[in-house]
């Protein structure tokens, strides 16, 4: 659900393309934009430059989808009343751009005001505490052994896989002791 990057492609000759859209078609990544200066030649080497001023808030909103997913599961399932036993919160989609995030999920009904407040409180507390984000590429079977790992059902993941944790403990600690209950306090996902 994260929106594409923008930026520029600068050819060895100095020609510059302003990239305004990036799309994947089959096994190709297409950078769409406009030549702003010079002439681009087939086979010429070039450097891609990401607009990090735009990407930074996009990445922050993407990280918050992980935090929100964890908070929803924690409030609605893990700490819920016994009537929620066996229930699941499943992410159905998301959109993350530089100004907002949207998180689509399935649940058995509308959240109560108390549930909504608890989810919001968990998200705000994560931000206020400045909980770090750690990423690590790990062997798929090792990563799957982390007890609190959230993987999207039906997704196929590569081996090795990128693990993202919003956690005060590094992923290497989680891999060393994957059944530690402390990991349940943090968002740990494949991404």
């Amino acid at each position: 659900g994260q929106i594409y990057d923008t930026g520029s492609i600068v050819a060895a000759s100095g020609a510059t393309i302003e990239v305004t859209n990036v799309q994947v078609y089959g096994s190709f990544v297409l950078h769409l934009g406009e030549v702003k200066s010079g002439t681009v030649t087939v086979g010429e080497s070039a450097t891609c430059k990401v607009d990090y001023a735009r990407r930074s808030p996009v990445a922050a909103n993407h990280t918050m989808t992980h935090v929100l997913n964890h908070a929803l599961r924690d409030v609605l399932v893990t700490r819920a009343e016994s009537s929620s036993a066996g229930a699941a919160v499943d992410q159905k989609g998301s959109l993350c751009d530089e100004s907002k995030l949207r998180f689509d999920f399935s649940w058995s009904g509308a959240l109560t005001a108390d549930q909504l407040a608890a989810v919001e409180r968990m998200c705000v507390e994560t931000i206020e505490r400045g909980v770090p984000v750690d990423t690590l590429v790990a062997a798929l079977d090792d990563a799957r052994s982390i007890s609190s790992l959230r993987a999207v059902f039906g997704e196929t993941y590569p081996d090795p896989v990128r693990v993202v944790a919003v956690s005060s403990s590094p992923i290497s600690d989680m891999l060393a002791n994957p059944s530690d209950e402390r990991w349940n306090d943090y968002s740990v996902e494949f991404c």
Side-chain angles (χ1 to χ4, degrees):
Q2 182 169 315
I3 196 165
Y4 51 82
D5 285 323
T6 59
S8 61
I9 298 174
V10 181
S13 65
T16 301
I17 302 169
E18 179 183 348
V19 177
T20 56
N21 195 333
V22 179
Q23 298 294 320
V24 175
Y25 291 98
S27 61
F28 298 97
V29 178
L30 302 177
H31 294 78
L32 308 172
E34 179 180 345
V35 176
K36 289 296 191 179
S37 65
T39 302
V40 179
T41 305
V42 173
E44 185 176 15
S45 65
T47 301
C48 295
K49 297 181 177 182
V50 174
D51 177 357
Y52 283 102
R54 176 179 174 270
R55 188 172 208 255
S56 181
V58 172
N61 284 337
H62 181 112
T63 299
M64 287 311 298
T65 64
H66 293 275
V67 172
L68 178 56
N69 192 2
H70 177 262
L72 284 164
R73 287 185 292 119
D74 192 62
V75 169
L76 298 176
V77 179
T78 306
R79 300 178 192 208
E81 300 169 7
S82 60
S83 61
S84 294
V89 173
D90 289 314
Q91 181 176 351
K92 296 298 184 181
S94 67
L95 169 68
C96 305
D97 65 21
E98 62 272 28
S99 62
K100 66 185 174 301
L101 73 84
R102 187 196 75 232
F103 186 82
D104 307 325
F105 66 98
S106 63
W107 182 244
S108 59
L111 274 64
T112 67
D114 288 344
Q115 290 169 326
L116 188 58
V119 168
E120 182 177 0
R121 187 170 44 256
M122 284 186 69
C123 292
V124 169
E125 287 172 357
T126 299
I127 295 167
E128 289 175 345
R129 288 192 332 261
V131 178
V133 178
D134 188 30
T135 64
L136 183 75
V137 176
L140 183 59
D141 286 342
D142 293 343
R144 280 190 173 138
S145 71
I146 300 171
S147 60
S148 63
L149 177 79
R150 175 76 172 137
V152 177
F153 179 76
E155 281 287 320
T156 302
Y157 295 99
D159 189 6
V161 66
R162 183 173 182 257
V163 182
V164 175
V166 182
S167 168
S168 57
S169 296
I171 296 166
S172 57
D173 288 358
M174 295 177 189
L175 290 169
N177 189 6
S179 59
D180 192 319
E181 289 190 18
R182 290 181 297 163
W183 313 146
N184 293 327
D185 294 335
Y186 303 107
S187 168
V188 184
E189 298 187 39
F190 292 159
C191 185

